[in-house]
Amino acid sequence: RDKYEALKARRTQVDSSRALKNRPWIADSLLSLGELLTQWGYEALFEESLPVYEELAALSRADGDTELLRVALSRLADNTAKAGQAENALVRIDQLIQFYQIHLKDRGASQNLIRDLLRQKGRLCSDLRRWEEAITHIQEGKRNSILSEQEAADLNSRLVEAQFNLTGTVDPGLIDDAETAARSVDDKVALIRVLGVLAKLKYAQFDYESLDVGIEIGSICRERHRLAEAEHDNLAMAETCTIMSCLILLKQENPEESRLHASRAITLFNRLHDPMGVANVHYQRTLCFLHLARRNQLNESRVEFCVEAIAAGEAALRIVRNAELNMQSLCYLRLSEAFLILEDWKHAAEFLQRRRKMCLKA
């Protein structure tokens, strides 16, 4: 109630100064209201502060008050990000960078502030999964900068994640350094990122047979899942469930547990409104069932594995058809492989023909 009354008083102050048309009072009351909205740290209040600081920026720009304009632009950049408007925050940061380039005479101080803002842009681009921009801004922001251990751990984990998502590979030394840094400062979010890259990289290189590698990947996934649960990171949990489903399936220990992990992954991806994530769960399981069918080529269980592979492949295909052409083409290929193992030449040829048509169009 005290906070509500304080906000009510500040809003009344703004209205009174506007009624008097006293520009210094208006600026002062806007600043006072904006700071009050900012200091309590609620997302809704950060959002409410934005029009306040926009008005303050316009007023200070018209009056030539560069210090007040700096405060307004700085708050707009910070609070837009804290209000969950990452795209708009990037625009606000560019406005603040431009301000420093024009108005700050001390070039050294200006460059330090700009590098700090570039690192902020890099973090936002990382959150938006704009990997190339994230790498560019973080690297520029890190150049000639003295970073705290905490910030270095955060940025290095983001660089490793962005590099992997952009190229599919990362220098193992960089991953080790990023993991060590995240553990040394106990940054669980950074560690979730690094372990995610490590698990996905090792799984991508996994031949489906090496027991030691499978155990190592499973251990990484379990640690990542435990951390992700504590941080309420649904994407990380969905990714680990996908890999665990496949590892358990390949070991042929507990098909029910494998299905349970797959179901959890699908539920989480649906919660994230990520249909491609769901399709990838089905596709990865298609690959595993095909491998099991080949492994059991000489006995009857190959039929059961092929039937499962076809069901998973068709489930993936229903999601990606006419949406993700590369995945659609791969689904056709895997379905044809399943029918070839079953010696169902007609259906195998049908899916190969569909893939051929897609390749010719491309």
Side-chain angles (χ1 to χ4, degrees):
R1 178 151 187 87
D2 289 345
K3 288 179 179 179
Y4 173 78
E5 291 297 337
L7 272 177
K8 187 177 173 184
R10 296 289 169 90
R11 290 190 184 108
T12 302
Q13 190 180 20
V14 170
D15 292 339
S16 300
S17 59
R18 281 200 189 112
L20 293 168
K21 298 183 180 177
N22 186 316
R23 292 174 75 85
W25 286 4
I26 294 171
D28 187 55
S29 59
L30 285 169
L31 180 60
S32 181
L33 174 60
E35 294 301 291
L36 199 62
L37 289 164
T38 298
Q39 73 185 37
W40 289 331
Y42 304 130
E43 188 171 304
L45 294 184
F46 284 130
E47 192 168 349
E48 191 181 332
S49 77
L50 300 182
V52 174
Y53 283 116
E54 282 167 7
E55 186 179 350
L56 183 61
L59 197 66
S60 53
R61 191 178 281 113
D63 290 345
D65 188 334
T66 54
E67 178 53 27
L68 202 54
L69 179 58
R70 181 195 66 76
V71 171
L73 292 176
S74 180
R75 284 296 192 206
L76 278 169
D78 286 342
N79 290 7
T80 306
K82 288 171 182 173
Q85 300 177 21
E87 293 279 4
N88 290 337
L90 291 173
V91 175
R92 297 298 189 187
I93 291 171
D94 283 337
Q95 290 172 347
L96 189 53
I97 288 173
Q98 191 177 37
F99 172 86
Y100 285 137
Q101 288 170 335
I102 295 168
H103 294 287
L104 206 61
K105 304 305 178 191
D106 183 336
R107 183 163 173 76
S110 170
Q111 288 305 307
N112 286 336
L113 289 166
I114 288 170
R115 280 193 288 266
D116 184 52
L117 290 169
L118 287 170
R119 295 196 297 274
Q120 196 175 334
K121 275 188 81 171
R123 285 190 286 271
L124 287 168
C125 287
S126 167
D127 291 341
L128 289 166
R129 306 179 74 77
R130 285 159 53 169
W131 306 120
E132 195 166 357
E133 290 173 75
I135 291 170
T136 300
H137 294 316
I138 290 172
Q139 286 179 338
E140 285 180 7
K142 282 180 69 177
R143 193 175 295 122
N144 300 324
S145 298
I146 299 170
L147 307 179
S148 68
E149 288 185 2
Q150 195 77 37
E151 187 177 13
D154 173 65
L155 293 176
N156 288 341
S157 73
R158 290 178 186 276
L159 279 173
V160 163
E161 180 185 48
Q163 189 69 49
F164 175 76
N165 281 292
L166 202 59
T167 66
T169 184
V170 189
D171 184 310
L174 292 178
I175 298 176
D176 288 344
D177 290 346
E179 183 182 353
T180 301
R183 289 189 189 280
S184 69
V185 296
D186 195 28
D187 186 334
K188 293 179 177 58
V189 175
L191 188 55
I192 288 168
R193 286 191 204 103
V194 179
L195 292 177
V197 170
L198 195 57
K200 284 181 271 190
L201 192 60
K202 286 184 179 292
Y203 187 75
Q205 297 165 350
F206 183 41
D207 64 1
Y208 291 173
E209 289 293 337
S210 173
L211 186 62
D212 289 345
V213 176
I215 290 169
E216 184 186 2
I217 296 168
S219 175
I220 294 166
C221 283
R222 278 188 290 274
E223 181 183 7
R224 187 178 189 227
H225 195 89
R226 178 176 53 77
L227 292 167
E229 273 188 316
E231 296 296 324
H232 307 290
D233 186 338
N234 284 342
L235 178 59
M237 286 191 283
E239 290 172 344
T240 56
C241 284
T242 303
I243 295 175
M244 288 303 296
S245 166
C246 293
L247 291 174
I248 294 164
L249 184 60
L250 290 165
K251 286 196 286 185
Q252 289 181 265
E253 287 181 348
N254 191 334
E256 199 54 50
E257 189 184 349
S258 171
R259 268 192 290 273
L260 186 62
H261 278 285
S263 177
R264 282 178 187 157
I266 289 167
T267 300
L268 287 162
F269 279 124
N270 279 329
R271 199 175 290 166
L272 292 163
H273 307 290
D274 184 353
M276 288 310 300
V278 176
N280 187 53
V281 176
H282 293 304
Y283 181 72
Q284 293 302 329
R285 286 173 64 78
T286 304
L287 295 178
C288 293
F289 281 122
L290 280 173
H291 180 78
L292 291 172
R294 292 190 202 98
R295 189 196 282 171
N296 294 275
Q297 186 89 33
L298 300 177
N299 59 55
E300 281 304 306
S301 62
R302 78 182 188 284
V303 175
E304 180 188 338
F305 290 130
C306 282
V307 169
E308 292 280 14
I310 290 164
E314 287 180 336
L317 190 57
R318 281 193 295 274
I319 296 168
V320 301
R321 186 177 278 119
N322 302 323
E324 173 46 67
L325 298 184
N326 185 49
M327 176 75 93
Q328 184 178 337
S329 176
L330 287 171
C331 287
Y332 287 150
L333 177 63
R334 302 312 172 198
L335 286 165
S336 69
E337 287 175 3
F339 283 115
L340 281 169
I341 294 170
L342 291 173
E343 298 182 12
D344 183 339
W345 317 121
K346 180 185 171 185
H347 283 100
E350 180 187 326
F351 280 108
L352 280 172
Q353 185 64 17
R354 288 186 196 177
R355 176 172 162 82
R356 180 173 175 274
K357 283 181 181 176
M358 284 195 71
C359 291
L360 287 171
K361 276 184 185 176

